[in-house]
Amino acid sequence: MRKLIIAALFATGSLATPAVATEVSIIATNPVIDLSVTEYVETTPDVATFSTGVQTLAPTANEAIRQNNTQMSAVTARLKKLGIADKDIQTTQISLNQQFDYADGRQVFRGFVASNSVSAKLRDLKKLPQFLDALASDGATNFNGPMFSVDDDSKLREAARDKTWNSAVRRAEAIARKAGYANVRVLRVEEQSGEPGYPMPMIEMRAADAAGKATPIAPGQIRIGSTMNFTFEIVK
């Protein structure tokens, strides 16, 4: 009877108190191997993300903003005309600052500088060369990117995890054999957050020339990575 009462009290107490995280420790009786392994899979990108915007200089703040709004409206209209959806265009910075020159140790006021920048995603990479040239003709004064990526990389990341896991097991088994053991068992696996992502390629930026050639773009291949930390016990 006493055992049943104790069990009932324990159950009641577990419902009344907050849940407490339990830390499970596994004791290894043999030597262990700690490994940090990173593997990648390569694929062709299908999205280009970039930032672009307009910077204007005028004698007054109102005029700088007015000119900036006019030019930025043209740039945004071009983005949409080239097929970029509203959801893929996001304002990233708006600023207004005084600008000065320095001559003979004196500060000379030049005017007000207004800036407006947006980030955008282009999902039809075939349009990227003409897109860059069109932006320049519509008044964009700066451009950064592109950053190539994959719209849905979930399967690729899973493939990278599988590759990392298999590589780690092979390395651990090879080390175990060198130490005179036959096999290994996994004691701990930790996947690092912020695993390797997409490299940003360099592109040659120039306006369309007289022959009508567009800016050359080479998306190439991107790598999607997974990094995991392992602890293996080596066993006979």
Side-chain angles (χ1 to χ4, degrees):
M1 176 63 72
R2 182 174 298 175
K3 290 181 180 179
L4 292 175
I5 293 172
I6 292 173
L9 290 173
F10 179 78
T12 302
S14 66
L15 292 174
T17 57
V20 178
T22 302
E23 182 176 337
V24 178
S25 298
I26 300 176
I27 300 175
T29 58
N30 295 313
V32 298
I33 303 168
D34 290 318
L35 292 177
S36 181
V37 180
T38 301
E39 292 290 350
Y40 298 91
V41 294
E42 293 188 350
T43 189
T44 300
D46 58 15
V47 175
T49 303
F50 55 88
S51 64
T52 186
V54 173
Q55 186 176 81
T56 54
L57 174 66
T60 66
N62 286 340
E63 181 62 17
I65 293 174
R66 187 193 66 78
Q67 292 181 18
N68 193 271
N69 289 344
T70 299
Q71 289 182 236
M72 196 64 200
S73 295
V75 170
T76 303
R78 174 64 72 172
L79 292 175
K80 295 179 180 180
K81 186 176 181 180
L82 289 169
I84 297 183
D86 288 341
K87 68 176 183 177
D88 290 331
I89 303 173
Q90 184 178 55
T91 299
T92 57
Q93 183 184 34
I94 297 176
S95 65
L96 177 68
N97 298 286
Q98 294 181 336
Q99 184 162 320
F100 297 88
D101 281 341
Y102 292 87
D104 300 326
R106 296 172 52 197
Q107 192 178 60
V108 180
F109 176 70
R110 285 195 58 198
F112 289 87
V113 177
S115 299
N116 191 330
S117 298
V118 298
S119 67
K121 287 183 179 180
L122 183 66
R123 300 180 185 274
D124 185 355
L125 296 188
K126 294 179 181 179
K127 293 183 178 180
L128 190 53
Q130 70 183 81
F131 175 81
L132 300 181
D133 296 327
L135 280 180
S137 65
D138 280 330
T141 58
N142 60 74
F143 180 92
N144 291 292
M147 171 73 81
F148 291 110
S149 62
V150 178
D151 190 34
D152 182 3
D153 64 0
S154 55
K155 292 182 179 179
L156 295 165
R157 291 200 178 276
E158 190 61 33
R161 291 187 187 100
D162 291 344
K163 192 173 180 180
T164 299
W165 180 281
N166 294 334
S167 177
V169 171
R170 287 195 302 269
R171 287 172 58 180
E173 288 174 344
I175 294 172
R177 287 193 294 269
K178 289 180 182 297
Y181 289 78
N183 211 335
V184 297
R185 71 183 183 105
V186 179
L187 297 182
R188 180 185 66 93
V189 181
E190 178 187 15
E191 183 174 34
Q192 290 187 10
S193 60
E195 63 269 28
Y198 310 111
M200 179 180 290
M202 299 297 292
I203 66 172
E204 180 186 352
M205 294 294 298
R206 61 177 174 81
D209 58 26
K213 295 180 180 179
T215 302
I217 303 293
Q221 294 276 294
I222 60 172
R223 299 195 304 171
I224 297 174
S226 172
T227 297
M228 294 183 181
N229 301 320
F230 297 83
T231 297
F232 293 93
E233 180 185 14
I234 57 179
V235 296
K236 293 291 187 180

